[in-house]
Amino acid sequence: MSKKVVTLGEVMLRLSTPDFKRFVQSDTFDITYGGGEANVAGALCNYGLEGTFVTKVPDNPIGQSAINHLRRYGVDTQFIAKGGKRLGIYFLETGASMRASQVVYDRADASIAEAEIADFDFDKIFDGAVWFHTTGITPALSDKAAALTEAALKAAKAKGVTTSIDLNYRKKLWSKEKAKEVMTKLCQYVDVCIGNEEDAETTLGFKSNETDVTKGELNLDGYKDVFKQMKEKFGFKYIASTLRESYSASDNGWSALVYDGNEFYHSKKYDVRIVDRVGGGDSFASGFIYALVEKMAMKDACEFAVAASALKHTIPGDMNHATLAEVKVLMGGDASGRVQR
């Protein structure tokens, strides 16, 4: 029987410049759809779980196109509400070498930001679910979206569903002060917390000393201290952080650290040549969720998630389309990239 994982968040229209062009150069955009929680649902379906995505989209052809895109990859869309003004858009200019990627949002007044709790029957949505996942992006959209996120977390906990959140701070959506206020409240309903070093500081106030991602420097002892503080304050069952060493927009070091309240585990590191880094954190979250749902040991869960997300960096678009077999081959140490015939 398939294991049901529910995710809640925004799905957006993504318009990206082709061939590494700048916005001012491009006469066309490549079109796809994505969003943190939608990406997670799609990847989980790819691994064989039942990914159910919950959102609200406008009742027009663009909203339907977003739904169709998710259905293409097996996502259960039956609980998506329709209504509101519009689908959010984000524009992506992919960087290279020392030139950073750029994102421009056009998501004000999106349908999900104005969604009401009454738009969703959470008792029915969580029926048969084993896991619920959301991110810090959703409550950043509006006060209504924050209330919706809290209601979903409460409903999941009431049904005995394991809950997770990816902290995912977006400075273009809200202030550090607002983020800390809201996320501190939401995290009391969370079992598994996922996020990088910047997110832990900006959303919850925990800082890892002597770490500078812009210099490609990591201090694992600093992370461990932060994880212990987070465990003490919120009682998370697992805390996981991706560790990105940003050498340039084209080349990153990629690993992760996981803590279960007793032991720490630092994964192997991959040196990744980036095709598309958008969705990298989502692919780690989906890999970690899949591994824990499938009862993998913490070490194996961490290695699966890191391998899956390393592969995502080589795939265009928001969603991770790496297969289970490909992830397991990479976990086993084959990073040769040899042609499979």
Side-chain angles (χ1 to χ4, degrees), residues 10-17 23 29-36 38-39 53 55-58 60-67 69-70 86-92 103-108 110-112 278 317-318:
E10 181 177 21
V11 61
M12 291 184 290
L13 172 65
R14 165 176 150 169
L15 301 177
S16 51
T17 59
F23 287 130
F29 289 108
D30 292 329
I31 297 173
T32 188
Y33 296 86
N39 298 338
F53 180 57
T55 191
K56 188 172 185 177
V57 300
N60 64 30
I62 304 302
Q64 188 61 49
S65 293
I67 292 174
H69 178 84
L70 296 170
R86 59 176 299 223
L87 195 75
I89 302 171
Y90 83 93
F91 299 85
L92 173 66
V103 171
V104 176
Y105 289 129
D106 178 17
R107 62 202 299 184
S111 295
I112 185 61
V278 176
D318 270 48

Side-chain angles (χ1 to χ4, degrees), residues 82-188:
K82 288 188 175 182
K85 298 178 181 178
R86 59 176 299 223
L87 195 75
I89 302 171
Y90 83 93
F91 299 85
L92 173 66
E93 176 188 283
T94 302
S97 192
M98 70 288 296
R99 177 171 61 85
S101 296
Q102 301 287 338
V103 171
V104 176
Y105 289 129
D106 178 17
R107 62 202 299 184
D109 300 319
S111 295
I112 185 61
E114 298 302 317
E116 304 284 350
I117 295 171
D119 288 331
F120 307 98
D121 183 348
F122 284 119
D123 188 61
K124 186 175 182 181
I125 288 169
F126 289 122
D127 188 35
V130 298
W131 198 288
F132 171 60
H133 177 74
T134 191
T135 77
I137 299 173
T138 302
L141 297 174
S142 67
D143 289 342
K144 281 187 176 181
L148 178 65
T149 306
E150 182 178 3
L153 282 166
K154 287 181 176 179
K157 294 294 287 183
K159 297 275 278 190
V161 176
T162 300
T163 58
S164 62
I165 198 164
D166 190 330
L167 298 176
N168 263 348
Y169 177 70
R170 296 291 184 267
K171 63 183 179 182
K172 293 182 179 180
L173 296 180
W174 59 355
S175 67
K176 292 181 181 180
E177 293 74 22
K178 181 72 171 180
K180 186 175 180 182
E181 174 191 345
V182 173
M183 295 299 287
T184 299
K185 185 178 181 181
L186 295 179
C187 280
Q188 64 183 305

Side-chain angles (χ1 to χ4, degrees), residues 1-7 44 48-54 76 78-79 122-132 161-162 289 293:
M1 177 181 249
S2 181
K3 300 178 178 73
K4 177 179 175 180
V5 177
V6 178
T7 70
L44 290 172
L49 300 188
E50 181 184 340
T52 298
F53 180 57
V54 179
D76 177 7
Q78 65 175 305
F79 299 110
F122 284 119
D123 188 61
K124 186 175 182 181
I125 288 169
F126 289 122
D127 188 35
V130 298
W131 198 288
F132 171 60
V161 176
T162 300
I289 291 168
V293 167

Side-chain angles (χ1 to χ4, degrees), residues 120-308:
F120 307 98
D121 183 348
F122 284 119
D123 188 61
K124 186 175 182 181
I125 288 169
F126 289 122
D127 188 35
V130 298
W131 198 288
F132 171 60
H133 177 74
T134 191
T135 77
I137 299 173
T138 302
L141 297 174
S142 67
D143 289 342
K144 281 187 176 181
L148 178 65
T149 306
E150 182 178 3
L153 282 166
K154 287 181 176 179
K157 294 294 287 183
K159 297 275 278 190
V161 176
T162 300
T163 58
S164 62
I165 198 164
D166 190 330
L167 298 176
N168 263 348
Y169 177 70
R170 296 291 184 267
K171 63 183 179 182
K172 293 182 179 180
L173 296 180
W174 59 355
S175 67
K176 292 181 181 180
E177 293 74 22
K178 181 72 171 180
K180 186 175 180 182
E181 174 191 345
V182 173
M183 295 299 287
T184 299
K185 185 178 181 181
L186 295 179
C187 280
Q188 64 183 305
Y189 307 109
V190 170
D191 299 310
V192 178
C193 184
I194 302 168
N196 64 30
E197 70 291 337
E198 294 170 297
D199 295 335
E201 179 185 359
T202 51
T203 61
L204 299 176
F206 301 109
K207 180 169 175 54
S208 173
N209 294 321
E210 299 177 14
T211 294
D212 187 343
V213 294
T214 64
K215 296 180 179 179
E217 297 174 357
L218 298 174
N219 174 27
L220 289 182
D221 288 337
Y223 282 91
K224 291 176 181 180
D225 180 58
V226 166
F227 281 13
K228 288 177 180 178
Q229 293 178 57
M230 292 170 69
K231 169 70 175 177
E232 182 177 353
K233 182 168 184 177
F234 295 105
F236 299 129
K237 293 178 182 177
Y238 289 97
I239 304 168
S241 175
T242 54
L243 306 174
R244 186 186 295 277
E245 298 169 76
S246 189
Y247 312 131
S248 73
S250 301
D251 295 282
N252 285 184
W254 186 252
S255 62
L257 184 69
V258 175
Y259 180 49
D260 67 358
N262 296 304
E263 302 292 332
F264 290 94
Y265 180 74
H266 181 213
S267 76
K268 69 179 71 173
K269 185 180 81 170
Y270 296 94
D271 288 321
V272 180
R273 173 61 56 88
I274 295 172
V275 172
D276 190 336
R277 64 162 282 181
V278 176
D282 305 327
S283 60
F284 175 83
S286 56
F288 196 54
I289 291 168
Y290 170 81
L292 293 179
V293 167
E294 292 297 317
K295 309 298 184 184
M296 290 187 192
M298 180 179 74
K299 172 181 179 295
D300 294 330
C302 184
E303 291 292 357
F304 182 92
V306 170

